[in-house]
Amino acid sequence: MNPIFTLIFIAFTSYSFPQNGYLKKKELFLGADSIEGKRIIAGMYLVSTDSLTLQMDLTILDNWMQKDSITEFLTLDQSSTRQPLFMISHPSDTLPAYRYVNEHGFEIYLAKEHCFESYNQYGVKNNASCQFTLAQVYLPEYKKFYVHSLPLMYYK
């Protein structure tokens, strides 16, 4: 492999993924909605296992009774880091998202980070703070036995 190409790839990977779609700690997302006549509550912990993979621990409640508990590993669809190909529909906006998938048919859309800048008392810029705000989980066909979609989940 060409050493210049290798260096460019390493630089691109270290720049793009730790700041784009990479969770630095375990993050909690929660959502509730009335879907198909049922009160569905979904809670999900997400944590990065590396710069391209997430572990999802998902719990689904149907009318306050636990319906399912799922742990899956999902891989970043790298095309979602370059262009706004995948979107999350939010009541007030449509947000670009990172897409994570796995071979079992699970799919997560994670709204791209919102970054906030702050300044100290002398007007010097502090480090930007970035956080994820929304997540949408799409279930594989074999898991759609009680609802076809899960509620939009908000970062907690």
Side-chain angles (χ1 to χ4, degrees):
M1 182 180 275
N2 184 335
I4 293 174
F5 175 76
T6 304
L7 180 60
I8 290 170
F9 178 76
I10 291 170
F12 175 75
T13 303
S14 63
Y15 173 75
S16 295
F17 298 112
Q19 295 150 9
N20 297 322
Y22 184 75
L23 302 167
K24 293 175 180 53
K25 57 184 172 109
K26 189 180 255 191
E27 304 288 357
L28 173 64
F29 292 84
L30 297 171
D33 204 353
S34 182
I35 300 173
E36 299 171 21
K38 299 178 180 183
R39 182 73 174 158
I40 302 296
I41 296 106
M44 173 176 64
Y45 280 108
L46 290 178
V47 65
S48 291
T49 58
D50 61 40
S51 63
L52 298 175
T53 309
L54 288 180
Q55 178 181 331
M56 170 188 74
D57 294 316
L58 176 67
T59 300
I60 304 168
L61 305 177
D62 179 351
N63 293 324
W64 296 103
M65 303 293 292
Q66 184 170 343
K67 188 70 169 183
D68 215 343
S69 183
I70 301 165
T71 298
E72 292 284 336
F73 291 89
L74 295 101
T75 303
L76 178 66
D77 176 344
Q78 294 182 33
S79 68
S80 68
T81 63
R82 295 180 210 103
Q83 299 176 16
L85 299 175
F86 304 97
M87 307 298 267
I88 293 179
S89 294
H90 185 267
S92 64
D93 201 1
T94 300
L95 304 170
Y98 300 110
R99 177 179 179 248
Y100 289 84
V101 294
N102 73 6
E103 67 277 0
H104 300 124
F106 285 90
E107 193 171 352
I108 295 175
Y109 287 10
L110 186 59
K112 293 188 177 185
E113 309 93 326
H114 286 279
C115 296
F116 307 94
E117 294 179 355
S118 62
Y119 296 86
N120 68 16
Q121 63 190 14
Y122 305 108
V124 176
K125 183 177 161 183
N126 294 328
N127 290 336
S129 172
C130 299
Q131 69 180 36
F132 295 97
T133 56
L134 296 170
Q136 180 71 59
V137 175
Y138 296 97
L139 299 172
E141 286 298 318
Y142 74 91
K143 285 286 185 186
K144 293 181 180 177
F145 56 90
Y146 48 95
V147 292
H148 292 290
S149 64
L150 292 179
L152 184 63
M153 290 182 244
Y154 295 84
Y155 173 78
K156 295 297 175 190

